[in-house]
Amino acid sequence: MAAIVHGFDWPDRFVTGTVGEPGSRTFYLQAQEGKRVVSVALEKQQSAALADGVDAVLDQLIVEDDNRYSVPEAAPEGLADDGPLADPVDEEFRVGEMRLAWDPRTAQVVIQASRLLLDEDGTVVEEEEPAEVFVVRLPVGAARAFAARTRTIVTQGRPLCPMCEEPMDPDGHVCAVDGAE
């Protein structure tokens, strides 16, 4: 059976965003092309790793062949997207595995997120070929802007305890270092 592919070759918008309050936020990747919007849920750590991976690919390209792809060191002015996720946020699936690639033919970063598949016991099922994928292709400037926004979103969570560096809840915190609240 062929996989369901939610593909965006040149999206009008591709962002990381959240729904909910810090401490209980759900993270989403969301792509939009015209009126078509696709949202997939993922973990905060996956979001951070994706931003790091995108920047690592771009940083590597800057030094290759005298930056022949014109990769910017930072997000170009005018590409920042600080808007909220498009409503309604309808989750297509929860992300399991993510892949990141570079397409030199089109000078685009390619992000692929596959659906997380669990059995009845909640155990991750390994699929040879994923049944559903979300594929987004971004030019270098948009990729930098995506990574920058993602980092900002990730850091907007609960403040970290200065002692144990664990997130603090609004109603209190039991510090792992000294056990104080």
Side-chain angles (χ1 to χ4, degrees):
M1 182 164 90
I4 298 170
V5 178
H6 306 280
F8 291 83
D9 288 341
W10 294 92
D12 298 329
R13 184 172 195 235
F14 180 61
V15 295
T16 299
T18 62
V19 173
E21 296 300 316
S24 61
R25 297 184 295 171
T26 301
F27 281 74
Y28 292 94
L29 293 177
Q30 187 179 76
Q32 184 170 1
E33 193 172 77
K35 292 183 179 184
R36 180 176 166 236
V37 177
V38 174
S39 305
V40 296
L42 72 166
E43 298 297 323
K44 177 181 181 178
Q45 295 83 356
Q46 288 175 302
S47 300
L50 181 58
D52 290 345
V54 166
D55 275 340
V57 166
L58 296 174
D59 290 345
Q60 197 172 35
L61 290 167
I62 283 178
V63 297
E64 285 184 8
D65 299 326
D66 299 323
N67 195 8
R68 68 179 173 169
Y69 297 109
S70 300
V71 176
E73 289 190 25
E77 200 169 314
L79 289 182
D81 182 342
D82 298 324
L85 294 171
D87 282 329
V89 179
D90 294 325
E91 180 181 315
E92 289 293 329
F93 60 85
R94 179 157 287 281
V95 173
E97 182 178 298
M98 289 192 300
R99 294 182 182 185
L100 189 57
W102 170 251
D103 185 345
R105 295 172 297 126
T106 60
Q108 290 177 302
V109 173
V110 182
I111 298 166
Q112 178 179 314
S114 301
R115 178 175 57 108
L116 178 65
L117 185 61
L118 302 173
D119 66 13
E120 302 85 35
D121 300 328
T123 305
V124 175
V125 175
E126 297 292 327
E127 297 179 284
E128 196 168 305
E129 290 295 322
E132 192 168 9
V133 294
F134 180 53
V135 180
V136 179
R137 302 170 67 82
L138 297 173
V140 293
R144 278 286 192 216
F146 166 79
R149 175 191 165 114
T150 299
R151 277 200 181 77
T152 299
I153 296 291
V154 166
T155 61
Q156 289 176 340
R158 297 173 288 169
L160 298 179
C161 171
M163 299 291 288
C164 68
E165 298 184 357
E166 292 295 319
M168 298 187 300
D169 291 323
D171 23 320
H173 170 68
V174 177
C175 184
V177 172
D178 66 4
E181 192 166 318

